[in-house]
């Protein structure tokens, strides 16, 4: 028999993830602080719960898709949180991009009550979440990973077991460090190319036929940046958070983050300038502003 699932956090990733879990034949109870987020799933069999605690009383495995570790801690350990009603033998799977140090602490607290935890952050954005083909990088106990693999396969394409508690979250932060680096760096190159008289569309085509290409130039530029739609569904503040996690992980082991620290500052500046809630591909427009390259009349937003 399939375990009963709970899912907390029904945003850009949680909502399509929920649909994939239901499609995979799971019964899913859901909770989100935003009533609109819950309402999006009205056309499905998802069963709304009144609180994380209430959800935990009916679920065997609880998945989280939340903004950051502070929220994950509140939902798991706080008042009316999961720990108040999860019983021994149950499992919490954190698919959010969280801080490895926080994940280790939460997993220890849960283990004291006989509850297992996996960190299983995802990559691939809204597109792969809708397809059910997210990359999933998992930390925790291997036996728990193996037991929960069918659940992960409902929304995952390639699934990797990478190590103990927090290892998945570290892998995710470092992946996004690379993603943020290629996006910001390519933006700088394309903006400069345009300023110097090249066609940005043609220049991106050139990059994509050459060694400067990346997922950022192959997918994000054509889909979200060159047409200035910037509608990718991943917030700048979330990317900046991931970079902070990567820097913190480096600091923990006195690792000099020479390139990553500069990249992190670029994203932090974008947030400081009020762009946190905007899609992360708008880093392009931010860098146009910073470099005095934006023609306000023709290049809104
Ligand atoms: P989002 O902001 O769209 O969704 C987060 C949801 O959590 C919202 O619906 C919000 O109302 C809810 N929430 C906030 N506080 C809550 C609380 N205390 N209790 C219950 N619900 C609460 O974020 P997202 O883009 O879906 O990202 C979710 C996680 O996945 C983040 O950690 C993000 O970094 C990561 N992620 C996002 C993407 C992407 O492309 N959007 C890709 C990979 C990973």
């Amino acid at each position: 028999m399939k375990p009963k699932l709970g899912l907390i956090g029904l945003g850009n990733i949680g909502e399509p993830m929920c649909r994939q879990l239901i499609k995979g034949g799971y019964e899913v109870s859901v909770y989100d602080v935003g009533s609109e987020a819950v309402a999006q799933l009205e056309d499905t069999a998802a069963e709304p719960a009144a609180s994380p605690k209430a959800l935990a009383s009916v679920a065997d495995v609880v998945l989280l898709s939340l903004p950051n570790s502070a929220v994950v801690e509140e939902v798991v350990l706080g008042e009316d949180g999961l720990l108040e009603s999860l019983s021994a033998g149950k499992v919490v799977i954190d698919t959010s991009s969280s801080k490895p140090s926080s994940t280790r602490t939460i997993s220890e607290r849960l283990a004291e009550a006989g509850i297992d935890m996996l960190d299983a952050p995802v990559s691939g954005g809204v597109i792969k979440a809708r397809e059910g083909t997210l990359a999933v990088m998992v930390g925790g106990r291997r036996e728990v990973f193996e037991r929960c693999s069918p659940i992960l396969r409902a929304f995952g394409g390639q699934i990797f077991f990478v190590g103990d508690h927090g290892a998945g979250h570290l892998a995710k932060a470092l992946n996004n460090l690379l993603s943020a680096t290629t996006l910001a760096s390519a933006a700088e190159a394309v903006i400069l190319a345009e300023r110097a008289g090249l066609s940005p569309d043609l220049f991106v085509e050139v990059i994509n036929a050459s060694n400067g290409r990346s997922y950022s130039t192959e997918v994000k530029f054509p889909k979200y940046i060159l047409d200035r739609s910037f509608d990718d569904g991943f917030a700048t503040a979330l990317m900046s958070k991931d970079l902070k996690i990567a820097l913190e992980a480096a600091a923990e082991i006195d690792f000099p983050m020479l390139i990553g620290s500069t990249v992190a500052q670029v994203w932090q500046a974008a947030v400081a300038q009020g762009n946190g809630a905007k899609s992360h591909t708008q880093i392009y427009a931010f860098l146009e502003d910073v470099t005095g390259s934006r023609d306000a009349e023709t290049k809104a937003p």
Side-chain angles (χ1 to χ4, degrees):
M1 239 183 53
K2 284 183 189 293
K4 287 195 176 166
L5 306 184
L7 173 60
I8 301 181
L10 308 169
N12 286 319
I13 296 296
E15 186 259 342
M17 185 180 279
C18 184
R19 290 181 187 276
Q20 291 301 326
L21 291 167
I22 291 169
K23 203 167 137 198
Y26 290 98
E27 278 180 41
V28 189
S29 296
V30 293
Y31 175 76
D32 193 294
V33 277
S35 52
E36 285 156 29
V38 179
Q40 289 181 96
L41 289 161
E42 265 170 5
D43 62 322
T44 72
E47 196 58 50
S51 67
K53 181 181 172 183
L55 177 143
S57 65
V58 293
D60 302 309
V61 176
V62 180
L63 296 110
L64 309 175
S65 178
L66 294 166
N68 55 50
S69 286
V71 179
V72 171
E73 285 175 18
E74 177 195 324
V75 163
V76 178
L77 309 173
E79 200 183 322
D80 270 342
L82 298 179
L83 193 54
E84 288 187 10
S85 68
L86 273 183
S87 49
K90 303 211 169 168
V91 183
V92 174
I93 303 179
D94 183 15
T95 73
S96 330
S97 305
S98 308
K99 248 196 301 197
S101 56
S102 166
T103 303
R104 289 192 292 268
T105 305
I106 297 173
S107 66
E108 278 165 23
R109 289 282 303 278
L110 290 172
E112 285 165 14
I115 301 156
D116 266 302
M117 181 173 183
L118 294 175
D119 40 309
V122 298
S123 180
V126 174
I127 302 176
K128 294 209 167 172
R130 294 215 178 288
E131 290 170 1
T133 57
L134 288 162
V136 191
M137 44 220 94
V138 186
R141 291 203 297 128
R142 187 181 279 278
E143 177 270 317
V144 181
F145 164 67
E146 276 159 15
R147 194 152 36 95
C148 293
S149 285
I151 300 169
L152 303 177
R153 277 200 297 273
F155 57 83
Q158 296 196 63
I159 298 168
F160 303 89
F161 181 74
V162 291
D164 209 344
H165 296 291
H169 281 149
L170 176 64
K172 170 64 191 178
L174 295 180
N175 173 73
N176 274 22
L177 170 69
L178 286 176
S179 172
T181 303
T182 59
L183 185 59
S185 191
E188 200 168 63
V190 174
I191 293 165
L192 168 57
E194 187 176 14
R195 281 281 291 276
L198 274 67
S199 147
D201 298 69
L202 181 59
F203 180 54
V204 170
E205 256 187 71
V206 171
I207 299 172
N208 286 336
S210 310
N211 291 348
R213 68 187 181 275
S214 62
Y215 185 82
S216 295
T217 60
E218 288 181 332
V219 177
K220 294 181 185 178
F221 268 77
K223 240 179 150 45
Y224 309 118
I225 296 178
L226 293 172
D227 67 1
R228 306 189 80 81
S229 61
F230 300 121
D231 56 353
D232 58 86
F234 179 48
T236 301
L238 293 179
M239 181 64 104
S240 182
K241 166 206 65 174
D242 293 341
L243 299 174
K244 275 188 223 147
I245 294 172
L247 290 194
E248 277 174 31
E252 272 176 28
I253 58 164
D254 291 329
F255 182 90
M257 197 72 126
L258 301 178
I259 297 161
S261 54
T262 303
V263 174
Q265 295 306 311
V266 172
W267 288 85
Q268 194 162 338
V271 173
Q273 288 291 312
N275 298 302
K278 292 183 184 168
S279 288
H280 80 295
T281 47
Q282 290 217 32
I283 196 72
Y284 188 83
F286 169 73
L287 287 170
E288 282 179 323
D289 283 340
V290 168
T291 56
S293 308
R294 177 106 78 116
D295 169 358
E297 301 233 321
T298 56
K299 290 188 174 166

